[in-house]
Amino acid sequence: MFDLVNARAIAMAVRDYNQVLREVARVLRPGGLFISCEWATYPAFEPSLQLDPAIHALPLLQRRGLQTIAPLVPSFLEGAGAFVGISAAQHNVPIGAWPTDPSLRSIGAACLQANVRYAESVKPFLLDSGWTAANVDTMVEEYVQEIESLNGLVSVLYTVHARRA
């Protein structure tokens, strides 16, 4: 039995998250801690800035028909019936060096680089969906241009923790 199970950014690698939770419940000791950290699959605007929410370049994975399960993890935990004290939070991490706070500016610059790498990494998924290489390259280029030019974008990180009943 384990005291802690930490599941970070596994949603894209898992077809059945409920099966994952059944296995977590099986191996986690009673009172043990489960932690989930999942990124949304597309950027958003920082809500406090009250900017136009329309992002022109479609989220890359939505073009393949994949949706993020990150905001659903708390309901999955509730449905599993094996967890208590479920606590969820949403964190907006800046994309780009637009924040005025120096620490957030540094985090934003690193997050921009990570989002560019992410865009490049989804090319195989898009190609497997039947898009041509030229179309995929264009989509990724437009996406990267947009996240590099728009101030106020954030990557949304969903965190959840719960105890094994």
Side-chain angles (χ1 to χ4, degrees):
M1 295 301 241
F2 292 93
D3 294 323
L4 170 70
V5 173
N6 183 5
R8 283 197 281 173
I10 68 166
M12 286 181 53
V14 172
R15 290 189 189 270
D16 185 351
Y17 204 88
N18 288 313
Q19 175 60 37
V20 169
L21 292 180
R22 285 190 293 275
E23 183 64 12
V24 169
R26 188 184 72 76
V27 302
L28 197 60
R29 72 164 174 78
L33 183 63
F34 171 71
I35 300 172
S36 168
C37 300
E38 293 290 343
W39 292 97
T41 56
Y42 52 88
F45 278 111
E46 168 59 50
S48 66
L49 298 177
Q50 299 179 353
L51 297 172
D52 178 5
I55 298 173
H56 303 311
L58 286 177
L60 293 176
L61 286 180
Q62 275 189 333
R63 291 193 181 202
R64 186 172 184 256
L66 296 177
Q67 300 295 321
T68 183
I69 66 154
L72 304 176
V73 172
S75 63
F76 290 159
L77 284 164
E78 289 173 9
F83 299 93
V84 296
I86 299 167
S87 179
Q90 179 178 324
H91 311 276
N92 296 322
V93 180
I95 300 173
W98 57 266
T100 55
D101 176 270
S103 294
L104 289 177
R105 187 178 301 123
S106 176
I107 290 167
C111 190
L112 174 61
Q113 291 175 352
N115 272 269
V116 170
R117 284 191 306 273
Y118 164 78
E120 290 293 326
S121 76
V122 298
K123 283 183 175 182
F125 293 113
L126 296 169
L127 290 168
D128 284 348
S129 296
W131 294 86
T132 68
N135 285 339
V136 168
D137 287 342
T138 299
M139 282 189 285
V140 169
E141 286 172 22
E142 289 174 356
Y143 176 83
V144 169
Q145 287 174 346
E146 191 160 59
I147 64 171
E148 288 179 338
S149 65
L150 289 174
N151 288 332
L153 286 179
V154 295
S155 284
V156 181
L157 177 64
Y158 294 88
T159 60
V160 183
H161 66 272
R163 298 270 176 195
R164 173 73 166 91

